[in-house]
Amino acid sequence: MNTLHLKLEQQLEFIYQDVDEVKDYRALASSLMAAMGLYEGPHGETGPHEPVAFQNHWSEQDVVLITYGDSLVQQRANQEEEIPPGECLLQQKPLITLKRFLDDYCQDVVNSVHILPFYPYSSDDGFAVINYSAVNESLGGWNDINAISEDYRVMADLVINHCSSRSVWFDNFIKGEGPGHDFFFTCDPSEDVSQVVRPRTSPLLRETQTADGIKHVWCTFSHDQVDFDFRNPKVLLEFVWIIRLYLDNGVKIFRMDAVAFLWKKVATSCLNLEETHEIVRLLRTLIEHAQPDAVIITETNIPNRENLAYFGNANEAHCVYNFSLPPLLVNTLITGSCKHLKQWMMSMPPAQQGTAYFNFIASHDGIGLRPAEGLLSEKELNVMISTMQSFGGRVSMRALDNGKNKPYEINIALVDALQGTTEGPDRWGIARFVCAHSIMFALEGIPGLYIHSLLGTHNDYEKLKHTNHNRSINRHRWDYQALQQQLAEETSDHHKVFNELKNLLAIRTKQAAFHPNATQFTLHLGDQLFGFWRQSIDRSQSIFCIYNISNEEQILNLSEVNLIDLDEWRDLITGDYLQNISGQLAMSPYQVLWISNK
């Protein structure tokens, strides 16, 4: 028996120890290995690869663009060209348009792309998956995913907690027979579910008429998103087959969506249970043996301490979303004080080798508020919420166990969120917006850049009105020709934002001190000047990243930065050398300095 098989058996025993129906861990481990394409060699080898522990699968050159498959829509230039079967007469397949945009506009600064759920779906803009094995025909096909993966690392969503109520699996659940008929978690409504933590306000249980009578199906998110029952090992095995399919089609990064809710136990919170953590570890074990450079990112929009637990001991997620960064950074820039951002930075443990933070400040969802719990006071959160509402944002709620609702996230385009301060809009919007990204680009971790931030896209009120879903406000769909015109027009805000962010990324990807695992220390320069120091892993390069996060000029005393006089120091952004490392610099509102000795 090889070591991988034994490890899988031990993991399975932990996961299913309280499930009486699952006891043959050896057979289940063999099935999982077969599904992943791993063999059991006679001398303990596991094939096709042996993973190396604590190995970084990223560098300072890694930047992930986050986008829907149809965030860009291109009309056909030649209406007489031959149309492939099943393709719209007037529209190019959006995945082809996306590849063209990446090649024409992002090739030098982006090497990875997170294509949000590109499968057939019924709701939630892709997160209610009907068929995990297919690409949505309106977007393209697996050949288009493969074409993108030839030049960029592709991140795909593993929507592992739930699927669509319109899937074949759920149809079979209703009929009581066929594949998937036993895949879903049900609960007697008399059971105590008062402790269950949820991000929504809809009823937890969905009453469903089936061939076996009325059943109450668990729905963490919506009644169109029915939760899987991982107590049934066939569900786990099915997802291993799905992972293998994605690997075979060029996917190298797996975003485990809503994974914190995976395992359910009545009379508990059903959040971050130990079985959930062990399933992530088991999937990590299988994936890294099949594809050593593949990466798992857990999407756990929860308080900071619980989020960090998904690193495990570098044996669980390779990366965790830095969910506290968006609300703290927005708070910093609208209040003109970095007090809370500094406190949080100093509390964050360095990611050990083989793990990294995934930094982002805007996404297809919104600015999560749960990750700010314990970091910002209720009063400060309320000020931020009211400011965002005054800038056109919306607020989504979640249900509490006392029957009341509480703000869960703010839905707003980031360029609109940073159009002003708590005092109202001002003329520093773009500078403030660029400053926010320059902070994110320089922090320890891998930057994830939402396409609508890169393009400076504003709130989409038309889409919000059409869908009546708050998150639609930041899910605009660009006509590609119109976008090209905006990017070419030098007076356009979209042109200004795109070029400033692209220039910053071009600098970032050349600095060893911006490696995701390079050393980071927080500087203490007062509340209006935010700063931190990065040092490359080989200690050859230091970069002092300093930001005026206020709307007034601030004086930087370079003597407080402690620059070593044996080195020559220059600002990477302007290229200017510092003439007096003990002198003073006047920093204009939202000015950025990346002071490097190389």
Side-chain angles (χ1 to χ4, degrees), residues 56-69:
N56 297 326
H57 302 302
W58 42 79
S59 74
E60 61 275 9
Q61 297 177 3
D62 281 271
V63 177
V64 181
L65 184 73
I66 305 165
T67 180
Y68 279 101

Side-chain angles (χ1 to χ4, degrees), residues 142-184:
W142 282 117
N143 58 314
D144 299 307
I145 298 295
N146 274 281
I148 294 173
S149 72
E150 289 177 3
D151 297 309
Y152 306 90
R153 296 185 78 190
V154 171
M155 181 196 299
D157 288 277
L158 192 67
V159 187
I160 195 169
N161 179 70
H162 52 262
C163 73
S164 170
S165 65
R166 291 173 53 191
S167 63
V168 171
W169 291 340
F170 197 68
D171 284 345
N172 289 340
F173 167 79
I174 292 172
K175 292 186 293 186
E177 61 182 13
H181 78 276
D182 51 356
F183 277 15
F184 299 96

Side-chain angles (χ1 to χ4, degrees), residues 38-73:
L38 302 172
Y39 56 74
E40 301 177 50
H43 304 294
E45 69 273 22
T46 57
H49 305 287
E50 286 290 340
V52 178
F54 303 103
Q55 183 176 25
N56 297 326
H57 302 302
W58 42 79
S59 74
E60 61 275 9
Q61 297 177 3
D62 281 271
V63 177
V64 181
L65 184 73
I66 305 165
T67 180
Y68 279 101
D70 59 355
S71 291
L72 308 172
V73 178

Side-chain angles (χ1 to χ4, degrees), residues 253-394:
I253 308 173
F254 293 87
R255 177 186 182 271
M256 292 192 173
D257 176 66
V259 70
F261 302 95
L262 195 68
W263 195 270
K264 283 84 174 171
K265 282 184 181 178
V266 174
T268 74
S269 68
C270 298
L271 184 68
N272 306 317
L273 299 185
E274 283 303 314
E275 291 87 348
T276 294
H277 281 282
E278 195 63 38
I279 286 175
V280 177
R281 288 191 281 267
L282 180 143
L283 294 176
R284 160 78 176 262
T285 299
L286 289 166
I287 289 171
E288 66 184 0
H289 277 81
Q291 185 76 46
D293 62 344
V295 170
I296 291 174
I297 300 181
T298 48
E299 188 268 333
T300 49
N301 192 354
I302 50 180
N304 196 49
R305 183 183 297 272
E306 298 167 34
N307 185 36
L308 293 177
Y310 282 87
F311 273 142
N313 183 26
N315 63 347
E316 201 163 334
H318 294 90
C319 304
V320 298
Y321 274 77
N322 224 340
F323 273 110
S324 295
L325 180 59
L328 287 177
L329 190 50
V330 169
N331 173 76
T332 294
L333 290 164
I334 66 171
T335 63
S337 171
C338 63
K339 174 184 175 183
H340 295 300
L341 185 60
K342 283 195 301 185
Q343 289 177 340
W344 168 75
M345 286 264 292
M346 290 185 290
S347 72
M348 292 292 283
Q352 61 180 313
Q353 297 297 312
T355 66
Y357 293 109
F358 187 72
N359 296 324
F360 74 108
I361 53 177
S363 75
H364 61 290
D365 288 340
I367 301 169
L369 297 175
R370 288 211 73 208
E373 292 177 6
L375 303 174
L376 298 176
S377 68
E378 285 293 320
K379 181 179 179 181
E380 289 164 329
L381 285 170
N382 289 335
V383 167
M384 182 165 66
I385 290 170
S386 63
T387 302
M388 295 301 99
Q389 288 176 317
S390 74
F391 293 162
R394 301 294 189 268

Side-chain angles (χ1 to χ4, degrees), residues 53-113:
F54 303 103
Q55 183 176 25
N56 297 326
H57 302 302
W58 42 79
S59 74
E60 61 275 9
Q61 297 177 3
D62 281 271
V63 177
V64 181
L65 184 73
I66 305 165
T67 180
Y68 279 101
D70 59 355
S71 291
L72 308 172
V73 178
Q74 169 73 60
Q75 303 305 312
R76 287 186 180 277
N78 180 4
Q79 299 298 335
E80 297 180 358
E81 66 181 297
E82 183 178 351
I83 309 299
E87 188 165 325
C88 174
L89 292 176
L90 300 178
Q91 182 178 297
Q92 183 181 75
K93 288 296 187 183
L95 287 173
I96 296 175
T97 308
L98 174 60
K99 177 64 160 60
R100 182 172 300 167
F101 172 75
L102 290 167
D103 291 346
D104 292 349
Y105 288 94
C106 304
Q107 194 172 50
D108 297 333
V109 295
V110 167
N111 68 353
S112 306
V113 57

Side-chain angles (χ1 to χ4, degrees), residues 515-535:
H515 186 285
N517 295 89
T519 299
Q520 175 174 288
F521 283 108
T522 306
L523 304 178
H524 298 277
L525 304 171
D527 286 347
Q528 283 69 54
L529 291 176
F530 175 61
F532 50 91
W533 170 63
R534 303 295 309 279
Q535 185 183 57

Side-chain angles (χ1 to χ4, degrees), residues 27-43:
L28 181 53
S30 294
S31 296
L32 293 173
M33 289 181 64
M36 190 57 81
L38 302 172
Y39 56 74
E40 301 177 50
H43 304 294

